[in-house]
Amino acid sequence: MKTLVIGAGIAGLSAAQELRKANHQVILLEARNRVGGRIHTDRSFAEVPIELGAEFIHSSRVPTYSLAQKLGLRTFHYNQRDDTLVRLPDGVLRTVAEVGAQAQGYDNVRLIDWPEAGEESLEAYLKRLGDRQIPFKLQEYISDFDHPRYLSAKAAREYLCDPSAEEGDYRLLDGYD
Ligand SMILES: Cc1cc2nc3c(=O)[nH]c(=O)nc-3n(C[C@H](O)[C@H](O)[C@H](O)COP(=O)(O)OP(=O)(O)OC[C@H]3O[C@@H](n4cnc5c(N)ncnc54)[C@H](O)[C@@H]3O)c2cc1C
């Protein structure tokens, strides 16, 4: 059977690989002049790879971690230090230490006490809950990822309520691509 896969981002590449394993003939169509989509490693700027897109593997629980292990790719465990800069939802850059100091008042707000999230954006979820104080862990999550409009409320809640979320991230030393 012949299958056409549109888009050579990680989703399209994975789908094409699975189809090939199942002996399908695959045509992978990509609009750009490179594969990878939002995974985009640049090697023209420096001797080390610079990530213009995805850079972290978010814990050892996610499929990209097992894939990296299987392929023997070198990983580096990354933990934010006190002087690491983070971008807050209002766009301001602060060090982790400063954010921690600011967050003292949020210590008692636990995400676990928040109602279940549906298949909605994090922005819609926060609006639905009205003027509740946003837990610090959630603020950190938003500043680490993207605008709440583009984040899944359900995924954010599941991720943050998982006790192993404290594990931190990994980088791929030789480039995400
Ligand atoms: C700046 C940035 C940082 C990120 N950091 C992380 C991170 O640290 N860790 C992490 O896990 N994730 C991160 N992400 C998210 C991650 O990169 C994406 O979730 C993932 O790469 C999406 O893969 P995808 O295949 O679903 O989509 P995409 O990568 O968007 O791939 C879609 C592909 O389809 C092509 N396409 C679209 N329409 C057509 C068409 N009509 N015809 C042909 N081709 C088409 C596009 O050109 C593209 O190549 C980051 C994303 C960005 C932008």
Side-chain angles (χ1 to χ4, degrees):
M1 189 191 284
K2 271 192 184 166
T3 312
L4 181 65
V5 175
I6 298 178
I10 191 67
L13 288 166
S14 306
Q17 192 184 38
E18 290 302 315
L19 287 162
R20 283 289 295 273
K21 276 192 220 155
N23 291 322
H24 287 241
Q25 261 191 306
V26 185
I27 296 174
L28 185 54
L29 260 191
E30 170 53 53
R32 289 186 174 120
N33 61 359
R34 62 170 181 86
V35 298
R38 280 172 277 170
I39 294 170
H40 189 190
T41 308
D42 180 86
R43 290 186 174 76
S44 63
F45 178 69
E47 283 177 12
V48 289
I50 307 286
E51 304 299 352
L52 303 180
E55 60 181 317
F56 296 117
I57 294 179
H58 299 293
S59 89
S60 58
R61 296 165 296 140
V62 300
T64 28
Y65 184 82
S66 345
L67 185 60
Q69 295 292 102
K70 199 169 127 196
L71 297 172
L73 303 178
R74 297 192 300 155
T75 52
F76 167 74
H77 188 217
Y78 167 83
N79 262 330
Q80 284 186 339
R81 299 188 328 232
D82 277 359
D83 60 352
T84 304
L85 283 173
V86 292
R87 181 175 52 83
L88 301 179
D90 58 9
V92 176
L93 286 173
R94 291 263 182 276
T95 65
V96 167
E98 285 167 342
V99 176
Q102 265 180 11
Q104 295 308 319
Y106 293 105
D107 284 353
N108 296 328
V109 187
R110 295 187 316 149
L111 199 64
I112 210 111
D113 296 329
W114 280 30
E116 286 294 330
E119 302 293 344
E120 60 201 318
S121 72
L122 189 52
E123 181 178 62
Y125 179 63
L126 294 174
K127 279 190 180 152
R128 184 160 66 79
L129 297 183
D131 58 359
R132 285 179 180 228
Q133 211 179 13
I134 301 182
F136 175 56
K137 267 174 89 176
L138 186 53
Q139 291 199 1
E140 264 190 327
Y141 182 84
I142 294 168
S143 65
D144 262 2
F145 284 86
D146 211 329
H147 190 284
R149 189 180 307 143
Y150 306 117
L151 300 173
S152 147
K154 199 172 169 195
R157 200 178 174 288
E158 279 172 8
Y159 182 81
L160 292 169
C161 289
D162 184 329
S164 60
E166 301 297 329
E167 180 188 348
D169 298 324
Y170 296 82
R171 276 182 194 279
L172 284 160
L173 278 181
D174 301 308
Y176 216 104
D177 59 347

